[in-house]
Amino acid sequence: MGRFGVLLCAEDSEFVKKRYGGYFGVFVRMLGEEGETWDMFKVCSGEFPKDEELELFDGFVITGSCSDAHGNDLWIVKLLNLLKKLDSLKKRVLGICFGHQVLSRALGGKTGRAESGWDIGVTNINLSTSSSIWESLKIPTTLSVIEFHRDEVRELPPSAKVMAWSSKTGVEMFMSGDHMMGIQGHPEYTKDILLNLIDRLLDRNLIQDSHAETAKASVEATEPSREAWMKLCRSFLKGRLVL
């Protein structure tokens, strides 16, 4: 029925561990379906799938991270090499937030700090009307998603096209071929995960009180389009998208 790998790029917070069994649990809850096998590789700790194992997988998900996708930590360099291999094997890869940025970089794009600074809260994004994907999935061309990032894709890889954008971020989503997809937002996040992260940033003085209040207000005011994102991400990863 399909075998998938989660490339975990961050340590689990105590909150996510207790509530969801870690980020692996969060992703499997959103993407997993009956009869599938899901494996976790903690790539941020140097745990990678072996080359000879790659053919056994139908697809991979790259998670968010506290690290910079434009950084050159040893594990990030290894991850870039793995993503290039997966591209050549035409394996389906879904990159989320940091995963979206590092996937773009692996394919030849450029990433860096967002000129507009942190984007935290629930953001409305516009899906490209030149694609028929949304119609086949029966999802609207404007969706809301939880955002939590201060880096972005600055320049797309030559092979990629923009699939969504927002008032703050030019590349909210991209596709390269029919097997690589990046999403800047966090379709897997629940509101409580975001609120916990906002409090942690505040505790470390990484954001101002006013920024935190604005972000929390957006969480109160807008419901993320979780069902639509789940349908899109599952359909892409399982090869059910009509392109």
Side-chain angles (χ1 to χ4, degrees):
M1 281 293 288
R3 185 176 179 187
F4 301 91
V6 174
L7 305 174
L8 196 68
C9 302
E11 296 293 333
D12 289 322
S13 69
E14 285 305 313
F15 176 82
V16 171
K17 249 191 252 181
K18 281 179 189 159
R19 185 69 63 93
Y20 299 102
Y23 284 114
F24 177 70
V26 173
F27 274 100
V28 174
R29 184 173 280 132
M30 177 178 79
L31 299 170
E33 294 176 285
E34 202 175 328
E36 293 172 348
T37 302
W38 283 79
D39 297 313
M40 177 174 74
F41 299 94
K42 206 169 179 185
V43 294
C44 60
S45 300
E47 187 188 303
F48 284 80
K50 296 182 178 74
D51 283 359
E52 59 270 23
E53 289 181 309
L54 299 180
E55 279 294 355
L56 304 173
F57 287 86
D58 296 287
F60 290 88
V61 181
I62 324 161
T63 73
S65 179
C66 301
S67 300
D68 297 328
H70 50 274
N72 289 311
D73 307 32
L74 183 59
W75 72 268
I76 292 176
V77 174
K78 280 186 77 173
L79 179 58
L80 290 167
N81 287 333
L82 170 61
L83 296 176
K84 286 170 186 169
K85 279 178 204 152
L86 293 175
D87 182 37
S88 67
L89 291 168
K90 296 285 184 281
K91 293 291 178 184
R92 283 187 290 279
V93 178
L94 173 64
I96 302 294
C97 197
F98 166 91
H100 155 90
Q101 297 156 14
V102 84
L103 181 60
S104 167
R105 182 182 170 189
L107 298 172
K110 289 189 171 69
T111 68
R113 285 278 187 263
E115 286 173 20
S116 54
W118 279 100
D119 188 3
I120 305 172
V122 183
T123 300
N124 288 322
I125 73 165
N126 310 295
L127 306 181
S128 168
T129 49
S130 63
S131 173
S132 58
I133 291 174
W134 329 120
E135 205 176 315
S136 66
L137 289 172
K138 297 184 169 56
I139 60 176
T141 51
T142 305
L143 295 177
S144 54
V145 70
I146 290 175
E147 300 271 9
F148 189 81
H149 67 102
R150 62 173 171 174
D151 293 347
E152 65 181 1
V153 171
R154 287 187 172 172
E155 199 178 297
L156 273 180
S159 60
K161 55 185 178 183
V162 177
M163 301 298 287
W165 68 95
S166 69
S167 57
K168 201 157 186 179
T169 305
V171 185
E172 286 281 4
M173 179 177 166
F174 74 85
M175 280 190 79
S176 174
D178 62 357
H179 63 292
M180 299 259 152
M181 179 186 279
I183 298 172
Q184 178 58 73
H186 281 279
E188 83 285 10
Y189 273 12
T190 53
K191 285 184 171 185
D192 61 347
I193 291 176
L194 177 64
L195 292 170
N196 178 259
L197 284 168
I198 292 170
D199 287 340
R200 284 167 61 201
L201 279 192
L202 263 180
D203 288 344
R204 295 175 192 175
N205 295 316
L206 289 170
I207 55 171
Q208 308 281 330
D209 285 350
S210 57
H211 198 160
E213 281 161 22
T214 305
K216 286 180 177 181
S218 78
V219 174
E220 290 297 318
T222 313
E223 206 53 50
S225 313
R226 284 177 60 81
E227 288 299 315
W229 285 111
M230 184 172 78
K231 191 190 284 189
L232 170 62
C233 293
R234 283 184 179 183
S235 298
F236 164 73
L237 208 53
K238 319 297 168 77
R240 300 195 294 250
L241 272 191
V242 180
L243 298 171

